[in-house]
Amino acid sequence: MKLSIILPTFNEEGHIVDFIEAIRKNIPEEVKYEVIVVDDSKDRTGEVVQEKYKDDLSVKVFLRKKRGLATAILYGIEHSSGDHILLMDTDFNHDPAYIPRMIDMSKFYDIVSGSRYMWGGAMKMARFRFLGSKLFNKFVALTLGLNIADATAGFVLFKKSLLHNLDLKAIFQGYGEFCIKLVYTFKLKAASLIEFPVIYKARPTGKSKTNFTKYLFIYTWATIKTRFNGRKLIHSTN
Ligand SMILES: Nc1nc2c(ncn2[C@@H]2O[C@H](COP(=O)(O)OP(=O)(O)O)[C@@H](O)[C@H]2O)c(=O)[nH]1
Ligand SMILES: [Mg+2]
């Protein structure tokens, strides 16, 4: 396995090096990996990573400096060389301590997906956001026929070959709604998926970029569109 860990960053200067170090500590010795940072920050997140890892070929940094979470992730994937992709938020919400067990599970499943809303999972934040997001995920599962508790965590390890013949430009648009479209196309491909419980850790520095109410509307609309047009996200020709 070669693992490409894609890290989109926006103003994560205060903890990004600690985060990358925590990732490296948790990758088993026998696993080859690369860390790909795609930085759009106004602060010096990308530059700090560049300086720290200038002699380390396993950490690549792209200073994109234009907003867009989903397009940043796609950019990282397009510049990756691994056969497996791991997507993570860079603020410790997604705890690198889970990486070893995700790698283990990826030997048996095409997709390994962190879940806040199954037995053992949790997210310690405003109750309104937790319940809203949990309920929204039930709506996603029902609307798209996905047997999944958490389609929007975005903490996911999958085989890169699953991206073959997907309309990646149409999937990776906007903010976190790409997760819903991606998992839907994976389901259409009959890929095997396992969810495992994750507990979100608190972000050590900086601020969340998610305006929950705004994104609830955007994600709901994306889910409805996927229900009716999702099949078009897979090209039938190649
Ligand atoms: N490259 C890039 N990363 C972003 C952008 N917006 C958010 N992120 C990153 O996306 C991840 C999730 O953002 P966060 O603010 O933690 O959202 P929350 O966990 O939903 O509160 C973090 O790693 C952010 O740095 C963006 O426009 N560009
Ligand atoms: Mg976060």
Side-chain angles (χ1 to χ4, degrees), residues 137-184:
N137 269 286
K138 290 216 182 293
F139 161 77
V140 172
L142 260 164
T143 308
L144 298 178
L146 300 173
N147 187 10
I148 188 170
D150 191 350
T152 56
F155 188 13
V156 58
L157 194 167
F158 57 90
K159 287 186 179 145
K160 192 176 177 183
S161 58
L162 285 173
L163 300 178
H164 176 66
N165 76 26
L166 296 188
D167 185 347
L168 297 177
K169 286 225 155 53
I171 292 171
F172 288 91
Q173 277 175 8
Y175 200 62
E177 63 270 37
F178 78 86
C179 295
I180 298 166
K181 294 184 264 180
L182 195 62
V183 80
Y184 183 71

Short mmCIF file of all heavy atoms in Angstrom, two decimals, residues 137-184:
data_model
loop_
_atom_site.label_atom_id
_atom_site.label_comp_id
_atom_site.label_asym_id
_atom_site.label_seq_id
_atom_site.Cartn_x
_atom_site.Cartn_y
_atom_site.Cartn_z
N ASN A 137 -27.87 13.60 8.52
CA ASN A 137 -27.28 12.37 7.99
C ASN A 137 -28.31 11.25 7.85
O ASN A 137 -28.20 10.41 6.97
CB ASN A 137 -26.09 11.93 8.85
CG ASN A 137 -24.79 12.51 8.32
OD1 ASN A 137 -24.28 12.07 7.29
ND2 ASN A 137 -24.29 13.56 8.96
N LYS A 138 -29.33 11.26 8.70
CA LYS A 138 -30.42 10.29 8.53
C LYS A 138 -31.19 10.59 7.24
O LYS A 138 -31.56 9.69 6.50
CB LYS A 138 -31.37 10.34 9.74
CG LYS A 138 -30.75 9.79 11.01
CD LYS A 138 -31.76 9.05 11.85
CE LYS A 138 -31.19 8.54 13.16
NZ LYS A 138 -30.18 7.50 13.03
N PHE A 139 -31.38 11.87 6.99
CA PHE A 139 -32.05 12.30 5.76
C PHE A 139 -31.23 11.85 4.53
O PHE A 139 -31.78 11.34 3.55
CB PHE A 139 -32.23 13.83 5.80
CG PHE A 139 -32.47 14.47 4.46
CD1 PHE A 139 -33.72 14.38 3.86
CD2 PHE A 139 -31.46 15.16 3.82
CE1 PHE A 139 -33.95 14.98 2.62
CE2 PHE A 139 -31.68 15.76 2.59
CZ PHE A 139 -32.92 15.66 1.99
N VAL A 140 -29.93 12.03 4.58
CA VAL A 140 -29.06 11.62 3.46
C VAL A 140 -29.20 10.11 3.23
O VAL A 140 -29.38 9.65 2.09
CB VAL A 140 -27.57 11.97 3.76
CG1 VAL A 140 -26.65 11.37 2.70
CG2 VAL A 140 -27.37 13.47 3.84
N ALA A 141 -29.12 9.35 4.31
CA ALA A 141 -29.18 7.88 4.19
C ALA A 141 -30.51 7.45 3.57
O ALA A 141 -30.55 6.60 2.68
CB ALA A 141 -28.98 7.25 5.56
N LEU A 142 -31.59 8.08 4.02
CA LEU A 142 -32.92 7.72 3.52
C LEU A 142 -33.09 8.13 2.06
O LEU A 142 -33.57 7.36 1.23
CB LEU A 142 -33.98 8.46 4.35
CG LEU A 142 -34.64 7.64 5.43
CD1 LEU A 142 -35.36 8.56 6.41
CD2 LEU A 142 -35.63 6.67 4.79
N THR A 143 -32.68 9.36 1.75
CA THR A 143 -32.88 9.89 0.40
C THR A 143 -32.08 9.12 -0.63
O THR A 143 -32.55 8.86 -1.73
CB THR A 143 -32.47 11.39 0.37
OG1 THR A 143 -33.15 12.06 1.41
CG2 THR A 143 -32.81 12.03 -0.96
N LEU A 144 -30.85 8.77 -0.27
CA LEU A 144 -29.97 8.15 -1.26
C LEU A 144 -29.86 6.64 -1.09
O LEU A 144 -29.12 5.97 -1.81
CB LEU A 144 -28.57 8.79 -1.18
CG LEU A 144 -28.52 10.29 -1.49
CD1 LEU A 144 -27.11 10.82 -1.34
CD2 LEU A 144 -29.04 10.56 -2.90
N GLY A 145 -30.60 6.10 -0.12
CA GLY A 145 -30.54 4.65 0.09
C GLY A 145 -29.18 4.18 0.53
O GLY A 145 -28.72 3.11 0.14
N LEU A 146 -28.52 4.99 1.34
CA LEU A 146 -27.19 4.61 1.83
C LEU A 146 -27.32 4.08 3.24
O LEU A 146 -27.88 4.74 4.11
CB LEU A 146 -26.26 5.84 1.86
CG LEU A 146 -26.00 6.56 0.55
CD1 LEU A 146 -25.22 7.85 0.81
CD2 LEU A 146 -25.23 5.66 -0.40
N ASN A 147 -26.78 2.90 3.46
CA ASN A 147 -26.83 2.33 4.80
C ASN A 147 -25.62 2.83 5.58
O ASN A 147 -24.70 2.09 5.88
CB ASN A 147 -26.84 0.80 4.69
CG ASN A 147 -27.05 0.16 6.04
OD1 ASN A 147 -27.37 0.84 7.02
ND2 ASN A 147 -26.85 -1.14 6.10
N ILE A 148 -25.65 4.13 5.90
CA ILE A 148 -24.48 4.75 6.52
C ILE A 148 -24.97 5.76 7.56
O ILE A 148 -25.98 6.43 7.36
CB ILE A 148 -23.60 5.41 5.41
CG1 ILE A 148 -22.27 5.92 5.96
CG2 ILE A 148 -24.31 6.51 4.69
CD1 ILE A 148 -21.30 6.35 4.85
N ALA A 149 -24.28 5.81 8.70
CA ALA A 149 -24.73 6.70 9.78
C ALA A 149 -24.18 8.11 9.61
O ALA A 149 -24.78 9.09 10.03
CB ALA A 149 -24.29 6.13 11.14
N ASP A 150 -22.98 8.21 9.00
CA ASP A 150 -22.33 9.52 8.88
C ASP A 150 -21.68 9.64 7.50
O ASP A 150 -20.61 9.11 7.25
CB ASP A 150 -21.26 9.65 9.98
CG ASP A 150 -20.72 11.06 10.11
OD1 ASP A 150 -21.02 11.89 9.22
OD2 ASP A 150 -20.01 11.34 11.09
N ALA A 151 -22.36 10.37 6.63
CA ALA A 151 -21.83 10.53 5.27
C ALA A 151 -21.06 11.83 5.12
O ALA A 151 -20.53 12.13 4.04
CB ALA A 151 -22.98 10.50 4.25
N THR A 152 -20.98 12.63 6.17
CA THR A 152 -20.37 13.96 6.01
C THR A 152 -19.15 14.19 6.91
O THR A 152 -18.66 15.31 6.98
CB THR A 152 -21.42 15.07 6.28
OG1 THR A 152 -21.98 14.88 7.58
CG2 THR A 152 -22.51 15.09 5.24
N ALA A 153 -18.66 13.15 7.56
CA ALA A 153 -17.49 13.34 8.44
C ALA A 153 -16.26 13.74 7.61
O ALA A 153 -15.45 14.57 8.04
CB ALA A 153 -17.20 12.09 9.24
N GLY A 154 -16.10 13.14 6.46
CA GLY A 154 -14.94 13.48 5.61
C GLY A 154 -13.63 12.90 6.13
O GLY A 154 -12.56 13.34 5.73
N PHE A 155 -13.72 11.90 7.02
CA PHE A 155 -12.53 11.22 7.55
C PHE A 155 -12.58 9.83 6.95
O PHE A 155 -13.19 8.92 7.51
CB PHE A 155 -12.63 11.19 9.08
CG PHE A 155 -11.39 10.69 9.79
CD1 PHE A 155 -10.18 10.55 9.15
CD2 PHE A 155 -11.45 10.39 11.15
CE1 PHE A 155 -9.05 10.10 9.82
CE2 PHE A 155 -10.33 9.94 11.84
CZ PHE A 155 -9.13 9.80 11.17
N VAL A 156 -11.96 9.68 5.79
CA VAL A 156 -12.22 8.48 5.00
C VAL A 156 -10.97 8.02 4.25
O VAL A 156 -10.20 8.84 3.75
CB VAL A 156 -13.44 8.72 4.06
CG1 VAL A 156 -13.21 9.88 3.13
CG2 VAL A 156 -13.79 7.49 3.26
N LEU A 157 -10.78 6.72 4.25
CA LEU A 157 -9.65 6.10 3.53
C LEU A 157 -10.26 5.22 2.44
O LEU A 157 -11.14 4.41 2.74
CB LEU A 157 -8.83 5.28 4.51
CG LEU A 157 -7.43 4.80 4.13
CD1 LEU A 157 -6.71 4.28 5.36
CD2 LEU A 157 -7.43 3.73 3.09
N PHE A 158 -9.81 5.40 1.21
CA PHE A 158 -10.39 4.58 0.13
C PHE A 158 -9.35 4.28 -0.95
O PHE A 158 -8.33 4.96 -1.06
CB PHE A 158 -11.62 5.26 -0.47
CG PHE A 158 -11.37 6.64 -1.03
CD1 PHE A 158 -10.99 6.83 -2.35
CD2 PHE A 158 -11.51 7.76 -0.22
CE1 PHE A 158 -10.76 8.10 -2.86
CE2 PHE A 158 -11.27 9.04 -0.71
CZ PHE A 158 -10.90 9.21 -2.03
N LYS A 159 -9.67 3.25 -1.73
CA LYS A 159 -8.81 2.89 -2.86
C LYS A 159 -8.91 3.95 -3.93
O LYS A 159 -10.02 4.28 -4.38
CB LYS A 159 -9.28 1.56 -3.47
CG LYS A 159 -8.96 0.37 -2.63
CD LYS A 159 -9.34 -0.90 -3.40
CE LYS A 159 -8.99 -2.10 -2.56
NZ LYS A 159 -9.94 -3.20 -2.73
N LYS A 160 -7.78 4.43 -4.39
CA LYS A 160 -7.81 5.49 -5.40
C LYS A 160 -8.47 5.02 -6.69
O LYS A 160 -9.10 5.80 -7.40
CB LYS A 160 -6.38 5.95 -5.68
CG LYS A 160 -6.30 7.23 -6.49
CD LYS A 160 -4.85 7.67 -6.64
CE LYS A 160 -4.72 8.88 -7.50
NZ LYS A 160 -3.29 9.24 -7.68
N SER A 161 -8.37 3.73 -6.97
CA SER A 161 -8.95 3.20 -8.22
C SER A 161 -10.46 3.41 -8.27
O SER A 161 -11.06 3.41 -9.34
CB SER A 161 -8.62 1.72 -8.37
OG SER A 161 -9.12 1.01 -7.26
N LEU A 162 -11.10 3.62 -7.11
CA LEU A 162 -12.55 3.88 -7.10
C LEU A 162 -12.91 5.18 -7.81
O LEU A 162 -14.05 5.40 -8.18
CB LEU A 162 -13.07 3.95 -5.66
CG LEU A 162 -13.20 2.64 -4.90
CD1 LEU A 162 -13.55 2.91 -3.45
CD2 LEU A 162 -14.25 1.75 -5.56
N LEU A 163 -11.93 6.06 -7.97
CA LEU A 163 -12.20 7.35 -8.61
C LEU A 163 -12.24 7.24 -10.13
O LEU A 163 -12.66 8.17 -10.82
CB LEU A 163 -11.14 8.40 -8.20
CG LEU A 163 -11.05 8.68 -6.69
CD1 LEU A 163 -9.93 9.67 -6.41
CD2 LEU A 163 -12.38 9.21 -6.16
N HIS A 164 -11.79 6.09 -10.61
CA HIS A 164 -11.74 5.88 -12.05
C HIS A 164 -13.14 6.06 -12.65
O HIS A 164 -14.10 5.56 -12.10
CB HIS A 164 -11.21 4.48 -12.36
CG HIS A 164 -11.23 4.16 -13.81
ND1 HIS A 164 -10.43 4.82 -14.72
CD2 HIS A 164 -11.96 3.28 -14.52
CE1 HIS A 164 -10.67 4.35 -15.92
NE2 HIS A 164 -11.60 3.42 -15.84
N ASN A 165 -13.22 6.75 -13.71
CA ASN A 165 -14.45 7.10 -14.47
C ASN A 165 -15.53 7.86 -13.68
O ASN A 165 -16.68 7.88 -14.05
CB ASN A 165 -15.00 5.93 -15.30
CG ASN A 165 -15.72 4.88 -14.50
OD1 ASN A 165 -16.26 5.18 -13.45
ND2 ASN A 165 -15.74 3.67 -14.99
N LEU A 166 -15.13 8.53 -12.61
CA LEU A 166 -16.06 9.46 -11.94
C LEU A 166 -15.88 10.87 -12.51
O LEU A 166 -14.78 11.24 -12.94
CB LEU A 166 -15.80 9.50 -10.43
CG LEU A 166 -16.02 8.22 -9.65
CD1 LEU A 166 -15.91 8.50 -8.15
CD2 LEU A 166 -17.37 7.59 -9.97
N ASP A 167 -16.96 11.62 -12.50
CA ASP A 167 -16.89 13.03 -12.92
C ASP A 167 -16.38 13.84 -11.71
O ASP A 167 -17.16 14.41 -10.95
CB ASP A 167 -18.28 13.50 -13.36
CG ASP A 167 -18.24 14.92 -13.93
OD1 ASP A 167 -17.21 15.61 -13.75
OD2 ASP A 167 -19.24 15.32 -14.53
N LEU A 168 -15.07 13.86 -11.55
CA LEU A 168 -14.48 14.42 -10.32
C LEU A 168 -14.75 15.92 -10.19
O LEU A 168 -14.93 16.43 -9.09
CB LEU A 168 -12.97 14.13 -10.28
CG LEU A 168 -12.62 12.64 -10.22
CD1 LEU A 168 -11.11 12.45 -10.26
CD2 LEU A 168 -13.20 11.98 -8.99
N LYS A 169 -14.78 16.62 -11.31
CA LYS A 169 -15.04 18.07 -11.27
C LYS A 169 -16.44 18.36 -10.72
O LYS A 169 -16.64 19.31 -9.99
CB LYS A 169 -14.89 18.68 -12.66
CG LYS A 169 -13.46 18.79 -13.11
CD LYS A 169 -13.15 20.15 -13.75
CE LYS A 169 -11.69 20.50 -13.63
NZ LYS A 169 -10.78 19.45 -14.13
N ALA A 170 -17.39 17.52 -11.09
CA ALA A 170 -18.77 17.72 -10.61
C ALA A 170 -18.91 17.28 -9.15
O ALA A 170 -19.72 17.83 -8.41
CB ALA A 170 -19.73 16.94 -11.50
N ILE A 171 -18.13 16.29 -8.75
CA ILE A 171 -18.23 15.81 -7.36
C ILE A 171 -17.55 16.79 -6.41
O ILE A 171 -18.12 17.18 -5.38
CB ILE A 171 -17.60 14.40 -7.24
CG1 ILE A 171 -18.45 13.39 -8.01
CG2 ILE A 171 -17.47 13.99 -5.77
CD1 ILE A 171 -17.84 12.02 -8.15
N PHE A 172 -16.33 17.21 -6.76
CA PHE A 172 -15.55 18.05 -5.85
C PHE A 172 -15.83 19.54 -6.11
O PHE A 172 -15.00 20.25 -6.64
CB PHE A 172 -14.06 17.73 -5.98
CG PHE A 172 -13.70 16.41 -5.38
CD1 PHE A 172 -13.73 15.25 -6.15
CD2 PHE A 172 -13.37 16.30 -4.03
CE1 PHE A 172 -13.41 14.02 -5.60
CE2 PHE A 172 -13.05 15.07 -3.47
CZ PHE A 172 -13.07 13.92 -4.26
N GLN A 173 -17.04 19.94 -5.73
CA GLN A 173 -17.43 21.35 -5.82
C GLN A 173 -17.90 21.79 -4.45
O GLN A 173 -18.47 21.00 -3.71
CB GLN A 173 -18.62 21.49 -6.77
CG GLN A 173 -18.25 21.54 -8.23
CD GLN A 173 -19.51 21.55 -9.10
OE1 GLN A 173 -20.62 21.65 -8.62
NE2 GLN A 173 -19.30 21.43 -10.40
N GLY A 174 -17.71 23.08 -4.14
CA GLY A 174 -18.28 23.62 -2.92
C GLY A 174 -17.50 23.23 -1.67
O GLY A 174 -16.27 23.17 -1.66
N TYR A 175 -18.24 22.90 -0.62
CA TYR A 175 -17.62 22.64 0.70
C TYR A 175 -17.69 21.13 0.97
O TYR A 175 -17.21 20.34 0.15
CB TYR A 175 -18.36 23.50 1.74
CG TYR A 175 -17.61 23.72 3.02
CD1 TYR A 175 -16.40 24.39 3.05
CD2 TYR A 175 -18.14 23.27 4.23
CE1 TYR A 175 -15.72 24.60 4.23
CE2 TYR A 175 -17.47 23.48 5.43
CZ TYR A 175 -16.27 24.14 5.42
OH TYR A 175 -15.60 24.35 6.61
N GLY A 176 -18.29 20.72 2.08
CA GLY A 176 -18.25 19.29 2.45
C GLY A 176 -19.24 18.40 1.73
O GLY A 176 -19.25 17.19 1.92
N GLU A 177 -20.09 18.98 0.86
CA GLU A 177 -21.11 18.16 0.19
C GLU A 177 -20.50 17.15 -0.77
O GLU A 177 -21.16 16.19 -1.17
CB GLU A 177 -22.15 19.04 -0.51
CG GLU A 177 -21.66 19.93 -1.63
CD GLU A 177 -21.23 21.33 -1.15
OE1 GLU A 177 -20.66 21.42 -0.05
OE2 GLU A 177 -21.45 22.30 -1.89
N PHE A 178 -19.23 17.32 -1.12
CA PHE A 178 -18.58 16.34 -1.99
C PHE A 178 -18.60 14.95 -1.34
O PHE A 178 -18.67 13.93 -2.04
CB PHE A 178 -17.14 16.77 -2.33
CG PHE A 178 -16.16 16.52 -1.21
CD1 PHE A 178 -15.54 15.29 -1.08
CD2 PHE A 178 -15.88 17.51 -0.27
CE1 PHE A 178 -14.66 15.05 -0.03
CE2 PHE A 178 -15.02 17.28 0.77
CZ PHE A 178 -14.41 16.04 0.90
N CYS A 179 -18.55 14.91 0.01
CA CYS A 179 -18.54 13.60 0.72
C CYS A 179 -19.79 12.80 0.36
O CYS A 179 -19.72 11.58 0.16
CB CYS A 179 -18.57 13.80 2.24
SG CYS A 179 -17.15 14.59 2.93
N ILE A 180 -20.92 13.49 0.29
CA ILE A 180 -22.20 12.82 0.03
C ILE A 180 -22.19 12.25 -1.40
O ILE A 180 -22.53 11.09 -1.63
CB ILE A 180 -23.37 13.82 0.20
CG1 ILE A 180 -23.41 14.34 1.64
CG2 ILE A 180 -24.69 13.19 -0.20
CD1 ILE A 180 -24.28 15.57 1.83
N LYS A 181 -21.72 13.08 -2.34
CA LYS A 181 -21.71 12.64 -3.74
C LYS A 181 -20.72 11.49 -3.94
O LYS A 181 -20.99 10.53 -4.65
CB LYS A 181 -21.35 13.82 -4.66
CG LYS A 181 -22.43 14.90 -4.67
CD LYS A 181 -22.10 16.00 -5.65
CE LYS A 181 -21.42 17.16 -4.98
NZ LYS A 181 -21.09 18.26 -5.90
N LEU A 182 -19.59 11.60 -3.27
CA LEU A 182 -18.54 10.59 -3.42
C LEU A 182 -19.03 9.23 -2.90
O LEU A 182 -18.91 8.21 -3.59
CB LEU A 182 -17.29 11.04 -2.65
CG LEU A 182 -16.00 10.30 -2.97
CD1 LEU A 182 -15.60 10.49 -4.43
CD2 LEU A 182 -14.86 10.81 -2.06
N VAL A 183 -19.61 9.24 -1.72
CA VAL A 183 -20.04 7.96 -1.14
C VAL A 183 -21.19 7.38 -1.96
O VAL A 183 -21.31 6.15 -2.11
CB VAL A 183 -20.36 8.11 0.37
CG1 VAL A 183 -21.71 8.68 0.62
CG2 VAL A 183 -20.19 6.80 1.10
N TYR A 184 -22.00 8.24 -2.54
CA TYR A 184 -23.10 7.76 -3.40
C TYR A 184 -22.55 7.05 -4.64
O TYR A 184 -23.00 5.95 -4.99
CB TYR A 184 -24.01 8.93 -3.80
CG TYR A 184 -25.19 8.51 -4.62
CD1 TYR A 184 -26.24 7.80 -4.03
CD2 TYR A 184 -25.27 8.79 -5.97
CE1 TYR A 184 -27.33 7.38 -4.78
CE2 TYR A 184 -26.36 8.39 -6.73
CZ TYR A 184 -27.39 7.69 -6.13
OH TYR A 184 -28.47 7.29 -6.87
#
